[in-house]
């Protein structure tokens, strides 16, 4: 294809993170261990079984540790197992004090046939005796203790994977690794190694998450390991989940068609390669001669009795299962670059030699690496693409970089991310600093942003770009730290002097980590800013707190970044201080809330507008309400009402003269029923931010406490006309004709009617607000 087709992200689930949250629904929370006291002591080395398991989970940064209940007798275990829903897994050893283990297993299946049951053997003889019994089918899995406590982790994770694979694969396409091995002794030592490596890989992957919730959810999306014991079981699983199989690790000798087949592994590998040539396969054997046939089939090979078996396994996992960095290689194996994350992948794709690009693209290496990093949607979009679909390698290169850019942008738009200066978009980025609440106003902005980006609203109006302006929110925990660090709680609650409160707050120190983040933000943000309150109670449904707390506008244009940082810090602290103003305290007293329960988050948001000489303002701004309490036919209450004004929205907020209209009936303007009404009730002035005042004020700053609060200035309409803005919303009154004409192309008195928009469809404002 000669042109690059855009990556269609419309069908990516809008609730992607919610779906990640739904993964791993079956968790092993309670384990019943049925064993003699000696067996459990050996398993736990010193009898501290739970402590060892907890330590292992903590070392691997796993969030949930199962509880373990141990009993010695089969009778007691059967009684406990009969309690509905209490245990998620039962592990039994060979030695029970009152019955044979097979009798216990048979009786358990009559009491409760749904709990997974695992037999853990301590020696080969006991295991062989058990496998010769017909009742061995009562056990879901057999394992063998060989001195490594990690076998407990492997057992728990193996059972969880079996029970979750169907659902998790269906929800987001979680990947699976098929392990085919019939030697209990071998896979009992092998599985702990694979799981440990897999979980550590997942730890590296989740570090790339765009926020804390995303990182934790990605841990749930780690590849599943499915242990199969014969050809039919393994092939059945592959056929069912072939699109999500990350790779295969297989013995060469194992049962096939009920008999031990010395060639079963080769046959399995051949069948897989025929279905999906790009699926990596590792074949294992004690026979060195099998390596030639394995390589002929396109599989890797390691010796089971090799002294470096585990080293070779880790090497294979990193190279072929894409665990670790993406290693860019030339066809002869020469390494030319590495990528740790999506940003580095995209950066390197731009510069690698074309031979390297084609080498990886032809083998679906990009798709496989993305799948291993839980980026399933993008991986499945790229996998069907063939090199032959693109006219030249350079078109392919451009397409891949564009796809990665679009995908990352979509991720960032659909989540509240932790602030990262490298990925933050200065137009419509939305990020947080801190781990606490966003506050009421912050939550509202986040909700609005989510609706815009998931409902299709952003693209509904052609060339009009709908978005929430670039926003960074200091979460409420930063407020808590600030209050604690500067010992302000008691003082602020008991002081009734607003000036003294503000002085003490402005002299306080923000945490150094926050100051560093603010400086990184100001390196990007060279535009005017609004510093807005977002308390926990603000914008609540029944107690809106509108106008209770402070908002500051900053030109943010001083040439010295330290002055800009001081100005920003001062505004943030003044917003913090407004939490305890006399007005705020009086307002809270009239509500069911307590002042000490209130906490303040702070919104740092890009001001929308343009620079006109030393003035900064948008063409128009306003407020829309979904309910109109005073509708005039044909308007109804549910049609809503909007107030819009030329320039900054302060004119609307303070109740000044503005244009009021129903988005459903934009030409039905009651306030302009007559010429006199239009002259009397139209906007005469507008607000703009004075950019020059910031430089003058900041030049004299001697510290944070010296920062002046910068307010908006009023200007007459002739200034807007000179700035070439009035034509958007203006009309002209002709005294000679006592008539009002749309537009400002003729001489006369200028008035603000918004006729070019509401009557002449210059801009689809009514349609946007109605939507």
């Amino acid at each position: 294809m000669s042109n690059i087709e855009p990556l269609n992200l419309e069908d990516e689930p809008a609730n992607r993170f919610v779906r990640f949250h739904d993964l791993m629904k079956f968790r092993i929370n309670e384990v019943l261990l049925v064993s003699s006291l000696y067996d459990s002591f050996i398993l736990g080395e010193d009898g501290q079984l739970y402590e060892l398991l907890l330590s292992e989970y903590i070392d691997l940064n796993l969030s949930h540790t199962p509880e373990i209940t141990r009993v010695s007798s089969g009778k007691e275990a059967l009684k406990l197992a009969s309690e509905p829903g209490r245990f998620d897994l039962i592990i039994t050893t060979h030695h029970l004090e009152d019955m044979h283990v097979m009798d216990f297993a048979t009786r358990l299946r009559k009491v409760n046939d749904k709990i997974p049951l695992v037999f853990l053997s301590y020696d080969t003889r006991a295991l062989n005796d058990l496998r010769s019994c017909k009742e061995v089918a009562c056990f879901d899995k057999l394992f063998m203790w060989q001195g490594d406590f990690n076998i407990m982790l492997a057992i728990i994770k193996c059972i969880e994977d079996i029970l979750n694979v169907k659902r998790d694969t269906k929800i987001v396409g979680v990947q699976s690794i098929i392990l085919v091995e019939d030697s209990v002794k071998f896979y009992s030592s092998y599985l702990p190694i694979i799981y440990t490596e897999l979980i550590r890989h997942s730890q590296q992957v989740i570090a790339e998450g765009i926020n804390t919730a995303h990182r934790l959810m990605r841990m749930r999306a780690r590849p599943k390991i499915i242990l199969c014991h014969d050809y039919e079981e393994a092939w059945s699983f592959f056929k069912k989940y072939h699109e999500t199989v990350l790779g295969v690790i297989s013995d060469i000798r194992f049962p096939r068609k009920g008999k031990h087949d010395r060639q079963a592994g080769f046959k399995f590998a051949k069948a897989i390669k025929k279905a999906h040539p790009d699926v990596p396969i590792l074949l294992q054997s004690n026979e060195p001669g099998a390596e030639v046939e394995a390589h002929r089939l396109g599989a890797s090979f390691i010796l089971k009795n090799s002294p470096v078996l585990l080293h070779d396994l880790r090497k294979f996992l990193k190279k072929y299962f894409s665990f670790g960095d993406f290693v860019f290689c030339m066809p002869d194996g020469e390494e030319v670059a590495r990528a740790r994350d999506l940003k580095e992948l995209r950066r390197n794709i731009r510069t690698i030699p074309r031979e390297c690009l084609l080498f990886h693209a032809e083998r679906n290496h990009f798709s496989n690496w993305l799948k291993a990093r839980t980026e399933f949607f993008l991986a499945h979009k790229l996998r069907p693409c063939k090199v032959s679909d693109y006219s030249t390698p350079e078109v392919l290169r451009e397409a891949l970089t564009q796809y990665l850019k679009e995908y990352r942008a979509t991720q960032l738009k659909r989540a509240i991310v932790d602030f990262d200066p490298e990925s933050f978009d200065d137009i419509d980025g939305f990020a947080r600093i801190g781990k606490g609440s966003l506050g009421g106003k912050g939550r509202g902005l986040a909700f609005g942003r989510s609706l815009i980006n998931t409902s299709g609203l952003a693209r509904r109006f052609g060339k009009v770009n709908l978005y929430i302006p670039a926003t960074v929110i200091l979460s409420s925990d930063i407020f808590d730290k600030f209050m604690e660090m500067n010992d302000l709680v008691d003082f602020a609650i008991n002081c009734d002097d607003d000036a003294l409160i503000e002085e003490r707050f402005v002299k306080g120190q923000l945490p150094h980590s926050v100051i560093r983040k603010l400086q990184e933000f100001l390196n990007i943000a060279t535009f005017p800013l609004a510093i807005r309150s977002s308390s926990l109670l603000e914008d609540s449904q029944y107690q809106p707190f509108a106008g209770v707390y402070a908002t500051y506008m900053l030109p943010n244009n001083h040439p010295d970044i330290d002055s800009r940082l001081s100005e920003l810090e001062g505004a943030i602290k003044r917003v913090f201080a407004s939490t305890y103003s006399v007005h705020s305290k009086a307002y809270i007293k009239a509500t069911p809330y307590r002042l000490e329960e209130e906490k303040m988050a702070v919104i740092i948001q890009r001001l929308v507008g343009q620079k006109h000489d030393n003035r900064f303002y948008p063409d128009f701004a306003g407020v829309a309400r979904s309910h109109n309490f005073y509708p005039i036919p044909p308007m109804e209450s549910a049609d809503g009402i909007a107030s819009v004004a030329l320039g900054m929205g302060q004119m609307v907020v303070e109740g000044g003269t503005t244009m009021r209209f129903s988005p459903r009936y934009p030409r039905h303007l009651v306030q302009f029923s007559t010429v006199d009404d239009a002259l009397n009730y139209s906007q005469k002035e507008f607000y703009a931010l004075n950019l020059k005042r910031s430089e003058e004020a900041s030049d004299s700053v001697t510290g944070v406490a010296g920062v002046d609060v910068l307010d908006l200035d009023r200007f007459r309409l002739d200034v807007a006309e000179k700035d070439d803005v009035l034509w958007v919303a203006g009309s002209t009154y002709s005294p000679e004709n006592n008539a009002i004409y749309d537009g400002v192309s003729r001489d006369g008195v200028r008035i603000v009617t918004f006729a070019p928009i509401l009557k002449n469809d210059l801009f689809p404002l009514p349609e946007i607000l109605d939507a």
Side-chain angles (χ1 to χ4, degrees), residues 419-421 433 472 474 478 510-524 561 565 568-569 572:
F419 176 72
D420 178 357
I433 297 174
V472 171
L474 303 187
I478 293 173
L510 289 168
H512 293 301
S513 59
V514 174
I515 295 174
R516 185 175 65 252
K517 289 291 184 181
L518 292 176
Q519 190 165 26
E520 290 174 348
F521 171 71
L522 289 178
N523 286 329
I524 303 168
I561 191 172
L565 180 61
L568 176 58
E569 286 186 64
I572 291 169

Side-chain angles (χ1 to χ4, degrees), residues 45 57 85 114 160 269 276 365 373 407 424 444 477 482 526 537 559 616 631 638 642 672 713 731 750 761:
E45 294 185 1
Y57 269 64
K114 295 185 188 227
E160 286 182 342
H276 284 294
H365 289 172
R373 306 183 90 71
Y407 183 70
F424 186 77
D477 62 311
F482 174 79
T526 55
L537 304 177
F616 183 90
F672 288 171
D713 287 343
S731 294
R750 306 308 191 201
D761 302 325

Side-chain angles (χ1 to χ4, degrees), residues 422-616:
E422 291 191 22
S423 61
F424 186 77
D425 190 312
D426 63 357
I427 300 297
D428 64 353
F430 198 99
R432 71 192 300 164
I433 297 174
K435 305 299 181 185
S437 170
L438 302 179
K441 195 177 293 179
R443 287 192 299 268
L445 287 171
F447 178 65
R449 181 173 183 268
S450 175
L451 284 181
I452 288 172
N453 289 306
T454 59
S455 66
L457 191 63
R459 295 165 297 279
R460 188 183 300 181
F461 300 99
K463 295 182 179 179
V464 179
N465 187 16
L466 295 184
Y467 62 93
I468 302 294
T471 302
V472 171
I473 301 179
L474 303 187
S475 58
S476 61
D477 62 311
I478 293 173
F479 173 77
D480 289 336
K481 291 176 184 175
F482 174 79
M483 298 296 291
E484 183 180 347
M485 284 173 55
N486 298 284
D487 193 24
L488 288 170
V489 177
D490 291 339
F491 161 77
I493 289 177
N494 296 308
C495 181
D496 292 326
D497 185 334
D498 286 350
L500 184 57
I501 290 174
E502 184 173 300
E503 180 183 355
R504 281 281 302 272
F505 271 68
V506 172
K507 287 181 178 178
Q509 291 294 316
L510 289 168
H512 293 301
S513 59
V514 174
I515 295 174
R516 185 175 65 252
K517 289 291 184 181
L518 292 176
Q519 190 165 26
E520 290 174 348
F521 171 71
L522 289 178
N523 286 329
I524 303 168
T526 55
F527 38 77
L529 299 170
I531 315 303
R532 311 173 63 192
S533 63
S534 180
S535 80
L536 297 185
L537 304 177
E538 200 164 2
D539 284 1
S540 57
Q541 188 170 1
Y542 299 108
Q543 303 289 341
F545 283 72
V548 174
Y549 302 123
T551 293
Y552 298 98
M553 307 287 186
L554 302 181
N556 188 39
N557 62 345
H558 196 280
D560 179 21
I561 191 172
D562 289 335
S563 296
R564 291 164 52 213
L565 180 61
S566 294
E567 193 175 76
L568 176 58
E569 286 186 64
I572 291 169
K573 294 170 189 176
R574 285 183 166 88
V575 173
F576 283 166
S578 70
T579 312
Y580 299 98
S581 69
V582 173
H583 176 54
S584 302
K585 290 172 180 173
Y587 187 93
I588 287 182
K589 281 183 180 179
T591 73
Y593 304 109
R594 296 164 55 88
L595 179 60
E596 62 184 349
E597 295 174 336
E598 181 69 300
K599 299 180 188 299
M600 183 65 71
V602 177
I603 298 169
I604 306 171
Q605 192 167 47
R606 179 174 187 149
L607 277 178
V608 175
Q610 289 182 304
K611 180 181 178 183
H612 304 280
D613 291 333
N614 290 315
R615 296 172 296 280
F616 183 90

Side-chain angles (χ1 to χ4, degrees), residues 330-375:
M330 299 295 285
D332 63 0
E334 178 191 357
E335 180 180 332
V336 295
R338 282 178 178 261
R340 292 172 299 176
D341 52 38
L342 292 181
K343 288 183 288 187
E344 291 187 1
L345 183 72
R346 179 168 168 254
R347 190 183 307 135
N348 284 321
I349 287 176
R350 290 174 178 167
T351 59
I352 57 174
R354 58 185 296 177
E355 296 83 3
C356 176
L357 176 70
L358 294 174
F359 174 76
H360 293 295
E362 288 170 349
R363 291 162 177 79
N364 281 326
H365 289 172
F366 298 123
S367 175
N368 290 342
W369 190 75
L370 290 167
K371 285 190 292 184
R373 306 183 90 71
T374 74
E375 302 293 356

Side-chain angles (χ1 to χ4, degrees), residues 46-96:
D46 60 354
Q48 304 301 311
L49 187 58
Y50 176 76
E51 285 76 3
L52 280 173
L53 186 62
L54 176 62
S55 175
E56 185 65 24
Y57 269 64
I58 290 174
D59 287 345
L60 293 173
N61 201 24
L62 297 174
S63 59
H64 178 78
T65 308
E67 298 286 341
I68 298 178
T69 301
R70 191 201 68 81
V71 295
S72 300
S73 72
K75 183 178 180 181
E76 187 177 0
L78 291 170
K79 181 180 178 181
L80 291 173
S82 65
E83 299 178 18
R86 177 170 177 183
F87 293 101
D88 307 302
L89 171 65
I90 297 177
I91 301 174
T92 181
T93 62
H94 192 269
H95 303 104
L96 307 184

